[in-house]
Structure formats: structure tokens, C-alpha cells
Amino acid sequence: MNMAFDPAARGGALPFAGIELGGTKCVCTLAYGPGVIVAQETVPTEHPSVTIPAIAAVLQRWWDAGGFAALGIASFGPVDLDPASPTWGHILATTKPDWPMTDVAGALSAAFDVPSAFDTDVNGAAFAETLWGCAQGLDDFAYVTIGTGVGVGLLVNGKPTRGIGHAELGHLRVPRLPIDTLPSGCPFHDDCVEGLASGTGIKAALGDVHVSTLANDHPVWDRVEAAITAMCHAMVCTTGPKRIAIGGGVMNKQPHLLARIEPALRASINGYLPLPGCDYVVAPTLGDQAGPMGSIALAQVALRDRVAA
């Protein structure tokens, strides 16, 4: 996708550059926001010695063509987000071969004298939904993606959670249904949300049965619903998001699942905490652009923080 790059047409304002690093592809975006995308290119996620230079070349081309105001990098994880750490901006112990300890932020931002930000892909998507999507005006919000894995971007008072690391609620251990003795899809935990509800977890449970053959009332969906509901219950009881958006490949391909979560969550909370009256668990408004726009949102945050300083 490419549009005319004419900063003069926007009062001289430069667009923002963003990189969303995913497990299979990386999306490079030059945009002012979801309504004005100047350019968008995809780079396959291969060996980092191939992928990182390819992304850097895209950024350099955009820089030479007119520049950008700030750079946002939203990456699969886990990642080091501690600015005081010598490995800040690195991918940590990911299961993706060859990528552990890859310096992503430093390698991509060093050549450009603009504000930059680095965060998880789901935190970026959460920011994007607060700027342009289903969470506009909300400082406390959870963005959940259920795909090959389970990721959660968790904003509290307008900022992503930190502490010893970013939120990893996909690995929250939850009760299995009493009848569920099927395998988990997580090599670390037999009973975490990712192991029970992700695409990998569903595949592990089904064995040779293909998911496309399943009816909406197949028992595996009860397992998925229960795991996601337990995770949402935990979020309600801890950070108390004012809305939860759930997307990702599993939810997109199985739209019947989303409608099951909010009633199950309300039943689980059982009136103990006050939930908003309706539309508490929703689909992300930005859809497939939530991730790419997440990197643009991070770039905007970086510029805002630079100006505020």
C-alpha cells in the first residue's frame, strides 16, 4: 500500500514510522494514523541477520524520501523493556529459533535522530485501540489476541504494566474443566491460558482432527471459553480494565467464541464487582490493523514524551 508522501499537504507535519515484528512477518508502516497510511510493506520474519537489515532498508528509504517524525517498534516477545538494562530493546527467551537476545530496538533506531519507542506488539495494539478504536477515552484497558499464542496488552492509568517485565497473562495458570484431560499446547505449563485456548493448544487437544471440521458446540470450545473467561476474571480482579477487546486468528475464525465470553465472565464474577452494563468484552475496532497501528501509536507516544520533557 502506497500513497503520495506530501508533508506540505498536512501543514508540513511528517508522518510516523512503525514496525510490527511478528512471528511470521513484520509490517512496516509509514502513516499519520489509520485513516492516512502513506506506505505499508511486509518483510518475512526469517533469521534476524536477514530480517533486521531488510527492515532497516525500508526505514532508510522512507527517511531519504522525506523523513518521519518518530519511530515506534512493537515486537513479539518476551522482550526487555527496562531502560536501565544492558539488554533493553532485545528479544529474550522466545521459542522462535535464532531470535533470543536479538537487539531489535537498537539496531533499528540508531540511524535515525528522532524519538523512538519500543514495546510489545500487544501493548502497541492496546495504545492504538485507545487512540482510534474501541477504547477511545479509556486509561484502563486490556487488548487480548488469541492466535498461535495468547498475548495481552494491559494499560493501567494510561500506561502499560511493567514491574519485572511486561504482562504475560497468556501464561496465567487457570483451572481446567473437570472433563478436560487433553494435552496442553504450552511446553512450560499444562494448564495455562495459552496452552488451553491458543491455536497451538486447540491443535494439541484435537490431534489429527482438523479444526475446520468442528461444530460450534464441540467440547473443545468449552475448554477455550473457560480458559479465556478465567483470564478475564483475573484481570477484572487485579487491574480492573474498563473494557476488554479480544481478537486474533482463533477469534476471527471462530466468531461464535466472542459472544460466549462476556456472559461467562459476568457469571464468573457473580455480581461481586460492578462491570459496565454492556459491550464490556468486544472485538478490536481496528481489526488486522491493530498491530501495525500499534507501532504508529508507539511512535506518537515517543514524540509526545519528547515534547513533554
Side-chain angles (χ1 to χ4, degrees), residues 146-150 185-186 193-204 224 250:
I146 313 286
T148 304
V150 175
C186 176
V193 181
E194 182 166 299
L196 301 177
S198 69
T200 305
I202 294 168
K203 185 176 180 180
V224 172
V250 169

Side-chain angles (χ1 to χ4, degrees), residues 64-93:
D64 294 341
F68 40 83
L71 172 64
I73 304 167
S75 176
F76 67 88
V79 293
D80 188 343
L81 299 177
D82 180 0
S85 170
T87 57
W88 171 85
H90 288 58
I91 292 177
L92 300 177

Side-chain angles (χ1 to χ4, degrees), residues 103-277:
D103 180 6
V104 171
L108 294 178
S109 66
F112 309 106
D113 186 20
V114 295
S116 64
F118 176 73
D119 213 317
T120 65
D121 49 359
V122 283
N123 279 343
F127 274 126
E129 289 288 337
T130 64
L131 286 175
W132 304 296
C134 68
Q136 293 180 66
L138 302 182
D139 283 340
D140 297 274
F141 170 64
Y143 173 90
V144 181
T145 180
I146 313 286
T148 304
V150 175
V152 179
L154 197 56
L155 302 185
V156 179
N157 294 327
K159 295 184 178 181
T161 58
R162 285 292 190 261
I164 63 170
H166 50 81
E168 281 287 357
L169 281 161
H171 290 275
L172 180 73
R173 302 182 77 165
V174 297
R176 278 178 174 259
L177 294 175
I179 61 171
D180 179 20
T181 59
L182 298 172
S184 163
C186 176
F188 297 96
H189 312 111
D190 187 55
D191 53 3
C192 70
V193 181
E194 182 166 299
L196 301 177
S198 69
T200 305
I202 294 168
K203 185 176 180 180
L206 295 177
D208 294 333
V209 178
H210 196 276
V211 67
S212 64
T213 66
L214 304 186
N216 291 353
D217 60 354
H218 190 281
V220 76
W221 304 128
D222 295 334
R223 158 170 145 153
V224 172
E225 174 198 311
I228 297 173
T229 300
M231 178 180 66
C232 291
H233 184 125
M235 290 192 290
V236 168
C237 292
T238 50
T239 65
K242 294 177 180 177
R243 178 164 288 158
I244 300 172
I246 309 180
V250 169
M251 305 304 285
N252 293 342
K253 293 175 182 177
Q254 305 294 333
H256 62 95
L257 282 173
L258 183 64
R260 298 173 62 164
I261 303 304
E262 183 167 329
L265 174 61
R266 291 183 183 277
S268 181
I269 294 296
N270 198 29
Y272 181 70
L273 292 170
L275 296 180

Side-chain angles (χ1 to χ4, degrees), residues 53-77:
I55 295 171
V58 173
L59 291 173
Q60 188 65 54
R61 181 157 29 87
W62 290 344
W63 184 261
D64 294 341
F68 40 83
L71 172 64
I73 304 167
S75 176
F76 67 88

